[in-house]
Amino acid sequence: MSWRRGGGGDGGVSRRWAVLLCVGSFCLGLLFTNRMWTLPEASEIARPNANVEESNMLVAAECGSKKIQEKQDYRDILQVQDTHHDVQSLDKTIASLETELSAARSLQESLLNGSPVAEEFKVSESIGRRKYLMVIGINTAFSSRKRRDSIRYTWMPQGEKRKKLEEEKGIIIRFVIGHSAISGGIVDRAIEAEDRKHGDFMRIDHVEGYLALSGKTKTYFATAVSLWDADFYVKVDDDVHVNIATLGQILSRLALKPRVYIGCMKSGPVLSEKGVRYYEPEHWKFGESGNKYFRHATGQLYAISKDLATYISINKHILHKYINEDVSLGSWFIGLDVEHIDDKRLCCGTPPDCEWKAQAGNICAASFDWRCSGICNSEGRIWEVHNKCAEGEKALWNATF
């Protein structure tokens, strides 16, 4: 078929129809392209990234929960530690209140009985009680003047040095003695004269006698806790050598612990035969013959914390006394939540034992002879022990507790 232009001429497509055909083809192409290649919505394009973000959020949430749990666990640990500290503080507060109550009771009893009240107690009541590290009570007798002098010239500071020891180190040292059966007798007057010279006695309401040591120990602790507010109360015999700084360092490390009973713990046999040394009249209470005592500190030197001294003071009228004072003390703590600490530095032997230990840097807190239950012939031999086993005067004044 052929197309002809009007008016004749060569055959072919007119120019006008060619233009129209091109325009139509172009429009059809646009229409086809729009339908086949429709662009996805922006939300659909971002979909893969959204999945990644959601995954990241889940991981972050999981990590966050772990961190929250870890923080919570850490808070729980801190809360437990705070609770433990609060319990210790509460124990100390209760012990302090009990001490004040005991002091008030002791003062009331002294006033009611017409007994003289110590000057230290009057001062402490008027200006408030100062805190001390320890009170060292040296058990002594009327006949032991030479022993007391040997201690004054060896390990016990005198005069201004003793006052400095109290003020700077918080350590009180006194010879502990009661009175005779006849109050105001010659032996009482001798002690009063000695006290005026040295000022280092602690007089207690107790009738002196070897068989009454359990009662004397009980009265000592009850009186001491009413006079001085200290972390520890120490009892030592007047034939024992003591290194004060070493003893203070041992006790200061235990100051935060409640109900501490420290010494050289032992468990000796209960002796049921009359006439032997350390005979136990109440041996039947300890079971069959040949049984041993419960664990307790040997009597040459031991220390108890303030709360235990307060317990003795409050219950002194109902605490049973055995014939041996170290057994009595140990019995008073049975049934209580007390920490028994066995420290062999409190019971070293005399030279060469304490001397070798001192040379090795392991200085003893107390030294004596076991066979004599103290330093044998202590009036003369304590000088030897002091020269070979003492920690040195600088150790005391440079010590921090």
Side-chain angles (χ1 to χ4, degrees):
M1 177 177 181
S2 63
W3 297 86
R4 294 183 178 272
R5 297 176 59 184
D10 296 334
V13 179
S14 67
R15 184 176 300 174
R16 185 176 58 183
W17 285 106
V19 171
L20 291 174
L21 182 61
C22 290
V23 171
S25 299
F26 177 75
C27 291
L28 288 173
L30 287 177
L31 180 62
F32 177 81
T33 302
N34 286 338
R35 294 200 173 189
M36 296 299 295
W37 299 97
T38 302
L39 293 175
E41 296 294 332
S43 60
E44 295 178 357
I45 294 175
R47 194 68 183 173
N49 292 334
N51 292 336
V52 173
E53 290 178 1
E54 289 178 3
S55 176
N56 290 338
M57 289 177 63
L58 290 174
V59 173
E62 184 178 354
C63 293
S65 64
K66 289 182 179 179
K67 291 182 179 178
I68 292 174
Q69 184 63 38
E70 290 175 357
K71 290 181 179 179
Q72 184 62 38
D73 293 342
Y74 182 67
R75 291 194 189 101
D76 291 341
I77 294 173
L78 291 179
Q79 187 175 5
V80 171
Q81 292 176 344
D82 291 340
T83 302
H84 181 66
H85 182 268
D86 291 341
V87 170
Q88 287 186 331
S89 299
L90 183 59
D91 282 343
K92 290 291 182 181
T93 302
I94 293 173
S96 178
L97 292 174
E98 289 176 339
T99 301
E100 297 299 330
L101 176 61
S102 174
R105 286 177 175 173
S106 297
L107 177 61
Q108 184 183 33
E109 289 180 2
S110 297
L111 294 174
L112 291 175
N113 296 332
S115 302
V117 179
E119 291 298 323
E120 294 97 330
F121 189 80
K122 294 178 181 178
V123 172
S124 66
E125 286 297 301
S126 61
I127 65 175
R129 289 160 63 86
R130 177 196 160 163
K131 187 70 175 179
Y132 294 92
L133 170 63
M134 61 180 173
V135 175
I136 302 177
I138 307 172
N139 180 40
T140 191
F142 290 117
S143 59
S144 299
R145 174 63 186 266
K146 291 182 178 180
R147 287 187 178 183
R148 291 192 292 273
D149 285 341
S150 67
I151 288 177
R152 291 183 179 114
Y153 298 138
T154 52
W155 62 266
M156 179 181 179
Q158 292 296 295
E160 292 301 319
K161 288 185 178 181
R162 184 167 57 83
K163 293 181 180 179
K164 180 181 177 182
L165 184 67
E166 297 176 3
E167 295 172 358
E168 296 185 6
K169 304 301 180 181
I171 299 174
I172 303 290
I173 307 177
R174 295 288 189 275
F175 289 105
V176 180
I177 197 166
H179 56 82
S180 63
I182 304 175
S183 183
I186 187 172
V187 290
D188 291 300
R189 293 197 300 270
I191 291 295
E192 291 170 1
E194 189 178 344
D195 193 24
R196 285 193 296 270
K197 180 179 179 181
H198 298 283
D200 54 7
F201 277 93
M202 173 183 173
R203 302 298 300 273
I204 61 176
D205 186 13
H206 169 77
V207 178
E208 286 291 325
Y210 179 78
L211 298 180
L213 286 180
S214 293
K216 183 176 182 179
T217 300
K218 183 166 59 175
T219 304
Y220 157 63
F221 283 124
T223 306
V225 79
S226 69
L227 294 177
W228 299 287
D229 181 11
D231 290 326
F232 289 94
Y233 298 85
V234 182
K235 177 264 177 182
V236 60
D237 289 339
D238 60 4
D239 54 357
V240 174
H241 181 271
V242 177
N243 281 320
I244 302 173
T246 302
L247 178 60
Q249 289 169 352
I250 292 172
L251 296 182
S252 63
R253 296 188 183 100
L254 305 171
L256 295 180
K257 291 189 174 185
R259 299 177 298 278
V260 171
Y261 172 36
I262 181 172
C264 290
M265 298 295 166
K266 65 176 184 178
S267 181
V270 180
L271 302 178
S272 58
E273 297 180 13
K274 290 184 178 181
V276 300
R277 191 179 187 186
Y278 305 127
Y279 163 67
E280 178 56 73
E282 299 179 85
H283 57 85
W284 60 273
K285 290 184 177 180
F286 298 92
E288 301 297 327
S289 178
N291 282 356
K292 292 184 176 182
Y293 288 110
F294 40 79
R295 189 71 62 179
H296 62 279
T298 186
Q300 286 81 5
L301 185 149
Y302 47 72
I304 60 175
S305 56
K306 175 184 174 181
D307 34 19
L308 293 183
T310 303
Y311 170 80
I312 293 174
S313 177
I314 294 173
N315 299 283
K316 59 185 177 182
H317 297 299
I318 59 174
L319 293 176
H320 183 71
K321 301 186 295 291
Y322 289 98
I323 191 69
N324 299 307
E325 51 99 5
D326 52 354
V327 173
S328 293
L329 184 70
S331 71
W332 298 337
F333 302 146
I334 291 180
L336 302 183
D337 187 12
V338 173
E339 182 174 0
H340 291 60
I341 298 178
D342 182 22
D343 195 324
K344 298 306 181 185
R345 289 175 293 178
L346 304 182
C347 57
C348 295
T350 56
D353 180 49
C354 60
E355 182 180 11
W356 291 342
K357 291 175 180 176
Q359 292 173 354
N362 187 22
I363 297 176
C364 297
S367 302
F368 57 88
D369 296 309
W370 281 102
R371 60 190 175 91
C372 296
S373 296
I375 299 175
C376 300
N377 187 24
S378 64
E379 299 92 336
R381 288 194 61 238
I382 197 171
W383 291 90
E384 175 195 353
V385 178
H386 187 70
N387 290 334
K388 295 182 178 179
C389 303
E391 60 198 354
E393 188 174 359
K394 290 184 178 179
L396 177 59
W397 302 117
N398 293 336
T400 55
F401 305 117

